Amino acid sequence: EVIKIGDGPTCEYPEDQCFQEAFARQVTRNSQAVAVVFEDQSLTYRELNTRSNQLAHYLQRHGVGPEVRVGLCLNRSIEMIVAVLGIFKAGGAYVPMDPNYPQERLAFMANDANLRVILTQEKFQEHVSHLIGEHIYLDADGPVIGQEKESNPVSRGSADSLAYVIFTSGSTGRPKGVEVEHRQVLNYVDGILEQLKLPAGASFAMVSPITADLGNTMLYPALATGGTLHIISEDRATDSVALAAYFQHHQPDCLKIVPSHLASLLMGPTPAEVLPQKRLVVGGEACPWQLVE
């Protein structure tokens, strides 16, 4: 069955909550369930909550709160998800920045978003050294962050608070930062879950970078429902054989992908094995009917 999600009716959603509250409910209900997986690493909901709480306390002591924008200059990893939740729990908003972007684009984004802090790793020091904002290295500063309290911090954010700022490609001129609030995130989550009709605890594969909205739209439904988020490395996401091997082992329920990316993967030797178990979502560009068929 082919469903055009954009044609569905509007839905009711919690207009007075932040995403971290939806996540907190899953920590209570599913503390031992696996929340996030990256290659051979994984964290349960309890572990992810603890690490993001410690980062949130650390960020709050460094001035992060509502409407404060925090640059996120990391590769796909478990640390990336810890950072997103840590920023949310501190009350701030994240601005995803690909370490492979040209220095000029990174500098423009940092200045345009008026970044207060940049979360990164030591291997990207040269990429961020010229950027405004305090630089926090999750690996080098990890021992200090790990001394912070494990309890949930007091968040001063609200549903109207900024959740993240995502920049356009700039192909038609200068990149533009699009601001997304928590209530809009939860509106999307409730809307897409109504269409997907997946059971609680389903698993979601994230093959797109967090710098693209396609990547974000797998992150939130997974962690709001007690599901497992599988972060697919950049190398694996573009290699049909490697992706098929991963999917055969982990069997994710849901995959969202750009049609042209899907078409290239289907050219591999085992096209059926790069498809999810239950739901395939295509978006981001026009999808030819030939690909649907």
Side-chain angles (χ1 to χ4, degrees):
E1 181 183 7
V2 177
I3 300 173
K4 288 183 68 178
I5 290 176
D7 291 346
T10 57
C11 71
E12 297 293 327
Y13 68 96
E15 299 185 50
D16 58 347
Q17 295 181 18
C18 295
F19 178 79
Q20 59 266 29
E21 295 173 271
F23 172 73
R25 287 194 294 273
Q26 299 308 322
V27 174
T28 300
R29 297 170 183 168
N30 302 291
S31 64
Q32 296 306 314
V34 176
V36 59
V37 177
F38 178 73
E39 294 297 326
D40 59 349
Q41 306 170 47
S42 66
L43 292 177
T44 65
Y45 273 83
R46 175 178 292 173
E47 291 167 337
L48 179 56
N49 189 57
T50 296
R51 287 186 54 180
S52 58
N53 282 346
Q54 291 176 317
L55 179 58
H57 286 296
Y58 188 79
L59 290 174
Q60 285 183 333
R61 293 200 296 104
H62 287 259
V64 176
E67 305 305 311
V68 173
R69 298 164 176 83
V70 179
L72 200 58
C73 193
L74 297 166
N75 282 335
R76 303 179 205 188
S77 59
I78 281 181
E79 287 71 27
M80 181 180 72
I81 306 304
V82 171
V84 166
L85 286 169
I87 293 167
F88 280 175
K89 286 169 172 282
Y94 69 91
V95 181
M97 308 168 76
D98 191 323
N100 296 315
Y101 280 161
Q103 298 243 333
E104 295 77 11
R105 178 178 170 92
L106 291 175
F108 172 81
M109 293 171 66
N111 285 286
D112 195 55
N114 191 27
L115 298 183
R116 175 72 171 266
V117 171
I118 295 176
L119 291 181
T120 187
Q121 293 172 319
E122 280 195 305
K123 62 184 176 182
F124 301 128
Q125 187 169 7
E126 290 186 9
H127 294 73
V128 303
S129 61
H130 65 296
L131 303 181
I132 65 168
E134 180 182 1
H135 299 166
I136 295 175
Y137 298 95
L138 293 178
D139 44 3
D141 297 322
V144 179
I145 296 171
Q147 296 301 311
E148 295 285 349
K149 292 182 292 185
E150 298 182 358
S151 57
N152 291 322
V154 177
S155 177
R156 300 181 296 277
S158 69
D160 295 334
S161 296
L162 195 61
Y164 64 93
V165 178
I166 194 162
F167 277 79
T168 62
S169 65
S171 58
T172 58
R174 298 174 68 185
K176 299 176 179 64
V178 180
E179 296 182 331
V180 179
E181 299 172 350
H182 279 273
R183 60 180 176 178
Q184 293 157 355
V185 172
L186 292 174
N187 183 11
Y188 171 78
V189 168
D190 279 26
I192 195 65
L193 291 175
E194 175 62 26
Q195 297 288 338
L196 294 176
K197 294 181 171 59
L198 287 166
S203 56
F204 297 74
M206 181 177 171
V207 298
S208 299
I210 200 172
T211 51
D213 223 27
L214 205 70
N216 291 274
T217 53
M218 284 288 91
L219 188 164
Y220 298 120
L223 298 184
T225 59
T228 300
L229 176 67
H230 290 270
I231 306 169
I232 310 301
S233 70
E234 185 174 358
D235 290 342
R236 189 182 292 277
T238 55
D239 183 332
S240 61
V241 174
L243 186 63
Y246 187 92
F247 278 16
Q248 282 294 99
H249 179 67
H250 293 283
Q251 299 188 329
D253 295 309
C254 183
L255 167 69
K256 185 174 183 181
I257 192 169
V258 174
S260 56
H261 185 182
L262 175 62
S264 68
L265 292 172
L266 293 179
M267 297 296 289
T270 54
E273 293 179 6
V274 298
L275 298 177
Q277 297 297 302
K278 293 184 173 67
R279 299 290 184 269
L280 173 66
V281 185
V282 290
E285 62 189 29
C287 182
W289 277 109
Q290 182 181 5
L291 179 61
V292 174
E293 291 162 358

